[in-house]
Amino acid sequence: MSLSAPQGRALADEPARAPPLWQLIQAVARLVEAVQAGQSLTRLLEAVPPALRGGAQALGFAVLRRLGTAQAVRRQLASRRPAPAVDALLCTALALLLAEGEVSYNAFTVVDQAVEAAKRQADTRRQAAFVNACLRRFRREADSCLAAVAGDAVARWNHPAWWISRLQGDYPDDWAAILDADQLPAPMDLRVNLRRGSVAAYCELLARHQIAATPLGAAAVRLARPRPVRELPGLAQGLVSVQSATAQRAAPLLLEGLPATPLRVLDACAAPGGKTAHLLECAPQARVTALELNAERSQRISDNLARLDLSAEVRVADAGDVGAWWDGAHYDAILLDAPCSASGIVRRHPDVRWLRRASDIAQLAAEQDRLLHALWPLLAPGGRLLYCTCSVFRQEGAERIEAFAARNSDVLRCPAPGHLLPGRDGLGGRVGDNGACDDDGFFYALLQKSPA
């Protein structure tokens, strides 16, 4: 996971000199328009001016969680779809009205500032009166507008129709609870570097900084509320990293029970390096190779390792193109955190639902098969491969492993979590193999190669 903190209640901690709301609405509308055109919110936020970035991210998350409802309501208010910039601004404002109670602005202020945003932007200025009329009408007729779209699945669940249908097929008893869980802000979890201290000691350090937190497991700590990363004590010194509790399962699951002798380990799709670092924290003597196809993302692996005073061989390479990088020596353990739809981390990245297309899943499954097929021969007899994806879709999880095991007679299935789906208490324990969790959706399969 990246070192960006998840956002909770929008703008709850903004300073008194925060930018005016109309500027934030303009920024968020531009983000929404770009997401609808297929661009990643994470990359888009990097280009937002620093003074606006925190507020734009917080409000942007709130808007994207309600974009399906906002778009359906806009269709009730306007018979013809307006130009993209106007549509994005109008839907942004409607989503903020729908989020009243989560964001720290009342309805009157949202309408007033949305109209101001329209007036101050060249490609929306002429439609400021139209934006004003639509928003005021929605305030008058909110109940009837929402009743009119109540039968629209996308408006109800704020996910694409194909996504809803796929979850209904994969989890016929729990799909609705999964979609509801996707609407919740994600918790912020930390991984304590156990080479440098204990969970108890770090919780005491947080308490001295008046940061409330709860220990979750061997190395995991959950903050009572998300905070800017820069406020975390000891981060720069390598005492702690930001990583979800679910993602923290990977390294111990792969390494537990393997010989204590120096291991040769491959992290096949390693960026941004959180799992690479955790592998080294768990097995300091391991010789770890970390691969990443993208050179810019590869640098993030090196940066994270340097912060933690850890060392690995970091290479820019396609893990599936074995002939281009493998030296012929087999690995004792391979971590394959495969490229996937990211459908399990919608709480942290609410744009994902609007970026993915139904056709993406089959393409990603083919890539997952390619990597499994390419890497399995690199594993030593008796060695282990941990396959994981941050996806809730069975086609990217259980179905991939079932197909792979059916094609390879030397595959032994070891105990592993299987599918983990996001939720609090609404799933009633009926989630894949392991019940409900207040965290990300993930899939884990641990495979051992038969001894020679």
Side-chain angles (χ1 to χ4, degrees):
M1 305 300 295
S2 70
L3 291 184
S4 59
Q7 297 297 309
R9 184 177 178 86
L11 300 186
D13 300 312
E14 286 294 309
R17 291 180 293 176
L21 180 57
W22 67 263
Q23 285 187 338
L24 290 172
I25 289 176
Q26 278 188 345
V28 173
R30 286 191 288 268
L31 295 174
V32 169
E33 184 179 359
V35 167
Q36 291 180 298
Q39 298 184 54
S40 164
L41 181 63
T42 300
R43 299 302 296 268
L44 291 166
L45 283 166
E46 293 173 358
V48 174
L52 295 174
R53 190 175 299 148
Q57 179 173 325
L59 290 183
F61 275 39
V63 168
L64 289 168
R65 289 188 179 112
R66 293 165 179 81
L67 187 58
T69 311
Q71 290 174 329
V73 168
R74 190 265 301 152
R75 290 192 292 270
Q76 294 294 313
L77 299 172
S79 57
R80 296 177 60 183
R81 182 175 181 175
V86 177
D87 188 42
L89 192 150
L90 180 55
C91 287
T92 293
L94 287 168
L96 291 176
L97 291 174
L98 291 164
E100 188 174 13
E102 178 182 329
V103 299
S104 54
Y105 301 105
N106 60 39
F108 174 84
T109 301
V110 169
V111 172
D112 176 74
Q113 292 292 283
V115 174
E116 187 69 17
K119 291 177 179 178
R120 289 175 178 257
Q121 192 165 280
D123 52 1
T124 58
R125 186 174 299 126
R126 292 184 177 181
Q127 296 297 314
F130 166 75
V131 171
N132 182 48
C134 287
L135 295 177
R136 291 184 181 278
R137 179 184 167 195
F138 177 68
R139 287 198 65 195
R140 294 193 307 270
E141 304 174 13
D143 290 345
S144 61
C145 284
L146 292 173
V149 304
D152 182 331
V154 177
R156 166 64 181 87
W157 299 107
N158 285 289
H159 287 69
W162 69 265
W163 188 304
I164 299 168
S165 178
R166 181 175 285 271
L167 283 181
Q168 289 171 331
D170 283 353
Y171 306 100
D173 295 324
D174 301 309
W175 63 271
I178 296 166
L179 292 170
D180 279 340
D182 281 350
Q183 297 298 92
L184 299 171
M188 186 173 182
D189 297 337
L190 310 178
R191 186 189 75 244
V192 176
N193 184 352
L194 298 182
R195 297 168 61 243
R196 305 281 300 277
S198 68
V199 167
Y202 189 73
C203 285
E204 291 176 4
L205 178 61
L206 289 174
R208 291 199 295 273
H209 285 78
Q210 298 183 324
I211 299 175
T214 303
L216 291 183
V221 172
R222 175 161 296 169
L223 301 188
R225 63 179 183 85
R227 306 183 73 92
V229 172
R230 65 180 180 274
E231 295 182 6
L232 297 176
L235 182 83
Q237 295 75 30
L239 299 184
V240 71
S241 299
V242 179
Q243 187 181 44
S244 76
T246 305
Q248 290 183 43
R249 294 177 180 235
L253 184 59
L254 177 61
L255 297 174
E256 186 177 3
L258 288 176
T261 56
L263 299 171
R264 184 172 161 87
V265 180
L266 173 67
D267 189 350
C269 302
K275 295 184 180 70
T276 309
H278 199 192
L279 287 167
L280 286 161
E281 290 172 6
C282 292
Q285 303 305 314
R287 294 170 293 169
V288 176
T289 299
L291 303 182
E292 173 54 43
L293 182 60
N294 181 279
E296 181 180 347
R297 285 171 56 79
S298 179
Q299 183 58 47
R300 294 182 63 191
I301 303 172
S302 298
D303 293 344
N304 275 326
L305 293 176
R307 179 180 61 83
L308 294 162
D309 193 24
L310 297 169
S311 178
E313 180 187 10
V314 180
R315 302 188 61 176
V316 178
D318 174 4
D321 185 10
V322 172
W325 61 267
W326 187 42
D327 63 5
H330 288 84
Y331 292 96
D332 302 296
I334 297 176
L335 172 59
L336 175 54
D337 187 359
C340 70
S341 64
S343 57
I345 54 174
V346 176
R347 296 173 70 178
R348 300 178 190 278
H349 301 278
D351 57 321
V352 165
R353 69 189 86 183
W354 308 118
L355 293 173
R356 289 296 180 203
R357 300 292 178 264
S359 58
D360 293 343
I361 310 306
Q363 295 173 9
L364 287 162
E367 174 66 3
Q368 292 151 8
D369 285 343
R370 182 183 77 93
L371 291 169
L372 278 166
H373 177 76
L375 295 175
W376 187 249
L378 279 57
L379 191 64
R384 293 178 181 172
L385 184 149
L386 180 65
Y387 172 86
C388 59
T389 61
C390 53
S391 174
V392 294
F393 298 142
R394 293 185 62 81
Q395 189 172 356
E396 298 183 277
E399 291 180 13
R400 298 278 55 73
I401 296 304
E402 290 164 4
F404 181 73
R407 293 193 300 267
N408 294 273
S409 60
D410 58 349
V411 173
L412 303 175
R413 297 285 299 272
C414 301
H419 281 284
L420 292 168
L421 307 184
R424 286 193 172 163
D425 298 321
L427 295 171
R430 301 186 312 278
V431 193
D433 303 324
N434 281 273
C437 61
D438 183 15
D439 211 334
D440 299 324
F442 248 79
F443 174 79
Y444 282 114
L446 184 61
L447 310 178
Q448 184 172 19
K449 181 174 281 190
S450 300

